Amino acid sequence: MPQLGESIVEATIMSLKVKPGDNVAADQEVLEVETNKAVMGVTTTCGGVIREMRAKEGQTVPVGYVLGLIEATTEEMERTGSKEWSGEQAPPPQDASKEPQKDDGAHFKTEGEFVEHTHAARASSGGLPVPTRRRGPQYLSPRIRSRMDDLGITEADLAYITGSGAGGRVTINDFENFISYVDGWPSKQASPMRMAVAGSMQRTWRRPIASASRPILMAPIMMHRKRHPRKPGYTLYFARAFALALAEAPESAGYMVGGKILTPRHIDLGIAVQVSDGVLVPVMRRLNESKLDDLIDEYNMIVAQARNRRLDDEHRGGGIATITNFGGFGLTNSTPMPLPSESLILGIGAVQKVPVWSDEVECFVPVEQAQMVASFDHRVVDGGDIGRLMQRIAFYIEHPELL
């Protein structure tokens, strides 16, 4: 099982594309896996004959797990830089096969040289990180903490248990009663994507996140889009305005590490895309350096890739801030949460026609506007900084010819 990203520790086998006895070429895709980031293909390191497939569809395996064995010639191994299989195997996960296969491949030795089925995939640090398990709060006993680790439960899952012990302490009986109580509820297994979102949000909430919002006039970009032959998406308008505003004040998207606030070197923005069981965030690079018209094709491409959960390496991870258009779901206001690796996210609400007082005609007039919401790490910036940033975004949105 290859390391498909620096935060990925396991993957679920989705489909097998070869079977024992099949001839394969180097770099041929032989199975598909699902990680917390996307569905990805796993390829061979060399050509040869598939002698054994240990992977099973639906199985979740850790990085380094031997998925299968390839019989290859010495010449092919030297050509591709592949190594002979040592016979070692990463331990199978607890929910894998109940009868793990033995790692003894000696009976194949007379038939040829075997290579470990791994893949030198490029690591990528993007998307939503693998959730990390935190130990329970201090008032939980070591016994309960051990049970929580066994079941993959965090203290957030137990938030509404009322402890019956002294001082409200949660006892092992309280815990086991809770587990029995929820055991009979209708449920389904959370997908790797859903677990990634949950872990990401738990990590984000460890920081002091604040939000600020203001209305923004939508008529200028609505008219501009109506006249534009290619009809750019509203999210792209805001992403471009966001990038230009951040280029003027990059410290607004700074990141605190210890006593230092890191300032972004490039304006790389993430675009939040809703998928069936979570959110993917493809990244557009140096968004402040390209005009709106030159970004349309790239924007449409990465949104389509994200919805198919097949992001390419170029657009995966490394963003300094994210933009999310929750208005597409009819929401007029929300509190978006930044990724753990970012300190800033900008959200856009649905367009509404509202009455606004006009001094010119001395009466209320109908105006099309949307709420713009920024959530930020309050350790890094203050409300005034975000207010000035949003003023610049509003300026660009009201002058779309500058985008």
Side-chain angles (χ1 to χ4, degrees):
M1 180 61 215
Q3 179 77 48
L4 294 170
E6 64 183 31
S7 63
I8 294 175
V9 296
E10 64 181 14
T12 300
I13 310 299
M14 300 299 292
S15 64
L16 303 177
K17 299 188 175 183
V18 295
K19 60 184 183 301
D22 288 352
N23 290 303
V24 293
D27 294 321
Q28 177 178 332
E29 186 172 306
V30 291
L31 52 86
E32 281 190 330
V33 299
E34 181 183 23
T35 71
N36 65 302
K37 300 178 186 295
V39 175
M40 304 179 184
V42 175
T43 61
T44 58
T45 55
C46 68
V49 178
I50 299 291
R51 303 303 298 183
E52 181 182 351
M53 288 299 294
R54 300 189 170 190
K56 296 181 176 63
E57 292 184 2
Q59 183 183 26
T60 299
V61 297
V63 170
Y65 186 80
V66 176
L67 301 168
L69 300 176
I70 300 174
E71 181 179 0
T73 63
T74 302
E75 292 76 11
E76 175 69 3
M77 293 171 62
E78 291 176 351
R79 185 184 71 84
T80 58
S82 300
K83 298 179 180 179
E84 182 178 356
W85 182 49
S86 65
E88 296 180 356
Q89 170 68 290
Q94 293 181 357
D95 62 344
S97 173
K98 294 183 179 179
E99 297 181 359
Q101 298 180 10
K102 296 181 180 180
D103 296 321
D104 178 16
H107 57 287
F108 285 130
K109 285 294 183 180
T110 57
E111 299 184 26
E113 308 267 1
F114 289 88
V115 255
E116 184 179 2
H117 188 142
T118 59
H119 178 58
R122 287 176 291 175
S124 58
S125 59
L128 298 170
V130 171
T132 58
R133 285 185 185 169
R134 295 185 293 162
R135 299 193 67 83
Q138 295 301 313
Y139 62 84
L140 295 176
S141 69
R143 182 180 178 187
I144 295 178
R145 293 176 186 175
S146 177
R147 285 284 286 141
M148 289 169 65
D149 288 342
D150 290 342
L151 298 173
I153 291 175
T154 70
E155 64 267 27
D157 304 328
L158 309 178
Y160 69 92
I161 293 182
T162 301
S164 63
R169 182 185 181 93
V170 176
T171 68
I172 188 63
N173 287 336
D174 296 330
F175 179 84
E176 296 297 348
N177 287 339
F178 170 76
I179 297 302
S180 298
Y181 172 64
V182 300
D183 187 54
W185 287 28
S187 65
K188 63 178 181 180
Q189 184 63 40
S191 68
M193 175 73 70
R194 191 72 258 156
M195 292 299 296
V197 172
S200 180
M201 292 300 96
Q202 283 180 318
R203 294 167 62 193
T204 283
W205 200 246
R206 299 177 192 177
R207 302 173 292 174
I209 302 298
S211 294
S213 66
R214 58 156 291 171
I216 188 167
L217 295 175
M218 295 293 289
I221 64 171
M222 293 174 73
M223 293 296 296
H224 187 274
R225 186 175 186 273
K226 186 176 181 179
R227 295 191 301 266
H228 199 290
R230 301 187 63 193
K231 303 294 185 292
Y234 288 127
T235 305
L236 183 57
Y237 277 98
F238 276 94
R240 171 71 174 151
F242 192 18
L244 291 176
L246 280 176
E248 299 170 5
E251 63 277 2
S252 298
Y255 195 87
M256 177 168 278
V257 178
K260 295 182 179 180
I261 296 179
L262 309 180
T263 301
R265 293 178 294 176
H266 308 297
I267 308 301
D268 300 339
L269 293 187
I271 311 294
V273 180
Q274 182 79 39
V275 296
S276 60
D277 56 349
V279 178
L280 282 177
V281 186
V283 175
M284 299 183 74
R285 311 291 177 187
R286 300 176 186 253
L287 205 57
N288 59 308
E289 299 177 10
S290 300
K291 291 291 187 179
L292 180 73
D293 288 358
D294 299 327
L295 295 169
I296 297 174
D297 288 338
E298 180 184 6
Y299 172 79
N300 292 337
M301 178 191 71
I302 64 169
V303 169
Q305 285 183 347
R307 287 174 178 163
N308 291 324
R309 301 176 65 164
R310 294 181 180 277
L311 289 177
D312 57 40
D313 291 340
E314 180 184 355
H315 297 97
R316 190 181 296 156
I320 65 167
T322 293
I323 186 166
T324 176
N325 186 354
F326 51 79
F329 303 99
L331 301 176
T332 57
N333 213 327
S334 182
T335 306
M337 299 299 293
L339 292 171
S341 58
E342 299 173 2
S343 298
L344 179 63
I345 185 170
L346 183 73
I348 311 300
V351 178
Q352 291 182 295
K353 187 171 287 188
V354 298
V356 175
W357 180 262
S358 171
D359 290 332
E360 184 177 346
V361 297
E362 296 186 343
C363 67
F364 286 97
V365 296
V367 172
E368 291 175 307
Q369 67 179 31
Q371 284 294 321
M372 181 169 56
V373 185
S375 295
F376 54 96
D377 185 341
H378 213 324
R379 300 175 305 166
V380 177
V381 292
D382 299 315
D385 304 315
I386 293 300
R388 286 185 287 271
L389 179 71
M390 296 174 81
Q391 284 179 347
R392 292 302 293 166
I393 296 172
F395 170 79
Y396 286 114
I397 291 297
E398 293 167 6
H399 299 82
E401 67 278 2
L402 299 176
L403 299 177

